[in-house]
Amino acid sequence: MKILMRILFALVIILVVAAIGVYFFLRSSLPDYDRELVMPGLSAPVEVEYDSFAIPHIYASNEEDLFQALGYVHAQDRLFQMEVLRRLADGRLSEVFGEKALESDRFFRTLSFRAHARMTIDSLY
């Protein structure tokens, strides 16, 4: 009975340590909303403030700087989602997720979003 209690106690300690480790790992992957960043290419200072719900409010003196800051903020929070959607539209999702995504890749390749985008850009320029 003593051995069973020791094993159970060791398992509880291991689970607690693992849970603390996972918590700190996930916590470290969150973006730092309070840091100051210098972005090359901006013509004027841009201020990004986050409210209590982590919604960014961007203040810029011109639209070009505003959209560049918006792109950075969006990628900071949603880079993985943006990458998955880009691969989905190209029909290249199975490169990351394997055979499970092969059916959706076939479907999206028949829609040929890439070819239609090229045709649209060529017609505009």
Side-chain angles (χ1 to χ4, degrees):
M1 193 66 162
K2 265 187 169 180
I3 295 174
L4 184 61
M5 290 300 284
R6 285 183 181 177
I7 292 173
L8 186 61
F9 182 71
L11 283 175
V12 167
I13 295 295
I14 290 171
L15 284 175
V16 167
V17 168
I20 291 171
V22 168
Y23 172 77
F24 282 112
F25 173 73
L26 292 176
R27 190 84 175 142
S28 70
S29 66
L30 291 175
D32 183 12
Y33 293 131
D34 294 328
R35 72 179 173 158
E36 191 168 313
L37 177 70
V38 177
M39 287 179 56
L42 293 178
S43 61
V46 175
E47 187 176 342
V48 180
E49 294 179 0
Y50 290 88
D51 62 14
S52 60
F53 297 108
I55 297 172
H57 300 273
I58 304 172
Y59 303 98
S61 57
N62 60 51
E63 281 189 353
E64 186 176 330
D65 291 346
L66 173 96
F67 291 131
Q68 190 169 355
L70 175 65
Y72 180 85
V73 168
H74 189 195
Q76 174 179 280
D77 292 337
R78 302 260 182 205
L79 186 60
F80 181 75
Q81 180 185 11
M82 292 166 61
E83 177 65 18
V84 167
L85 289 175
R86 182 184 68 85
R87 287 181 181 273
L88 178 67
D90 276 350
R92 295 176 40 220
L93 202 56
S94 59
E95 292 176 3
V96 176
F97 296 111
E99 285 190 32
K100 293 178 182 178
L102 205 52
E103 179 121 2
S104 70
D105 282 352
R106 287 187 185 121
F107 174 71
F108 278 97
R109 284 190 182 204
T110 61
L111 297 176
S112 63
F113 285 130
R114 177 70 60 186
H116 289 292
R118 281 193 195 118
M119 288 183 342
T120 302
I121 289 172
D122 290 342
S123 70
L124 292 174
Y125 300 107

